[in-house]
Amino acid sequence: MTTLRDDTVATPAKVGNEPVITLRGVEKYFPVREGVFQQVVGHVRAVDNVSFEIPRGQTVGLVGESGCGKTTLGRCIAGLTDATGGGIYFRLSVADRQFLDQVDAIPQEQRTQEQRDRVERLERAHRIDRLKGDAWRTYRRNCQFVFQDAFSSLNPRQLVKDIVGRPLKVYKEASGPGLTERVVGLLESVGLGRQHLYRYPHEFSGGQRQRISIARALALDPEFIVLDEPTSALDVSVQSQILNLLHELQQERGLTYLFITHDLGVVRLMSDDIVVMYLGEVMEHATSEELFASPRHPYTDALLAANPDLLSDGDEDTEMRGLEGTLPDPARPPRGCRFHTRCPVATPRCGWEVDDAVAWLLDNATVLDGLSGVERATDFDSVLRFGDEAAAGEAASLLESSDVPASMRTAMVELGTDGAQLRIRFEEVDAVRLEDVGGGHTTSCILHTSQSAGS
């Protein structure tokens, strides 16, 4: 298990810190194109309505399995790709964020001119996709990115001196001998030295290349750094060195981190707050201590149960449980709770729909070989047309069997055949929402929120 040194324990969350980065309903959709003319037939919802804050001087961990949208969100925050919707704000005060939240609840036509003018001023001054000129340059120098693969992120044709010094040259911070000395100072701050100035990236180990990437990110003395799985490609012993280095730099320079990883052991050591993502949405958000002591979402439970390093003393005999099944199609994410198709404690209120029934038939029978068409009234109400009555009847019998998850059978309010047609209708539910369950701990699981009763 990766550990920090005894003198580098993660700093406890500081109440009242102003946020460096504020996310409000951020979305990033990628178009799905088909046909000769590449017409858009749908969108992959890589990031879908994500909101949280990153307080100054703290580390927010962003966790989830591969494909959940972590890196895409990090790239949006760093300005490397544009968000489709919502807003990412730099140095937005808590008071201004509260004002924007209040205004969002007011219909556009009912807002006063003063409110509209203030919203416009705030967005021009703080929303990164609306920053221009010097304001944009200020953001870019204060938001840096450390990539997962240090080798591919370093130009193989450039010397370390040029790689680390390039930000200083672009922003005209130094030149000539002064530039060289600034680069030496940066290298020494990450455990390298003058002897490494005139070498190429391929001459270094993986850990050394990551140190070079960190030195480049520090060149302009930024406030905020996005760390995209900075240790996942490194040996365990090297991981500890890099994590200790990152923590020391944070303490010395007052840095703010967004730490993206799938390793809960690492994020537990490094983070003050943790955001858990699944299929583009936030499932849970809490302080590190609270999330590991009392997780409130089955997805978080599953991530913890799949990591043997997180077992406490006396739990050696606890059965390790992995997540079953694969991620649903992000172009057609499940309604209700997006995790319900893989959840071991799913309820009838979690959002079962016709696609879930069809997916179960595909996995457990060949009856859908005779399916000739689907008439979809809604996601929860559809008619499946088969080639003959026998196939429709067989599909209905299979869906009534005890092999079907009990919660899905209970949610099915209508299942019947009419000749070669099979009507399936589920109880319709709204998309789940994040709710505070106490102490700033938020979750979208209806087992812990007011949504279990359909409110």
Side-chain angles (χ1 to χ4, degrees), residues 346-390:
T347 75
R349 290 288 310 161
C350 287
W352 296 99
E353 53 189 282
V354 174
D355 283 353
D356 297 327
V358 172
W360 187 89
L361 288 172
L362 280 171
D363 290 340
N364 295 275
T366 59
V367 65
L368 288 186
D369 293 343
L371 185 67
S372 60
V374 177
E375 294 179 7
R376 185 186 296 272
T378 69
D379 289 336
F380 300 95
D381 186 359
S382 299
V383 173
L384 279 60
R385 296 196 303 273
F386 290 86
D388 54 62
E389 294 184 20

Side-chain angles (χ1 to χ4, degrees), residues 18 92-100 118:
E18 288 287 320
L92 183 72
S93 70
V94 172
D96 287 336
R97 189 262 298 165
Q98 291 172 344
F99 166 75
L100 291 176
R118 184 177 175 186

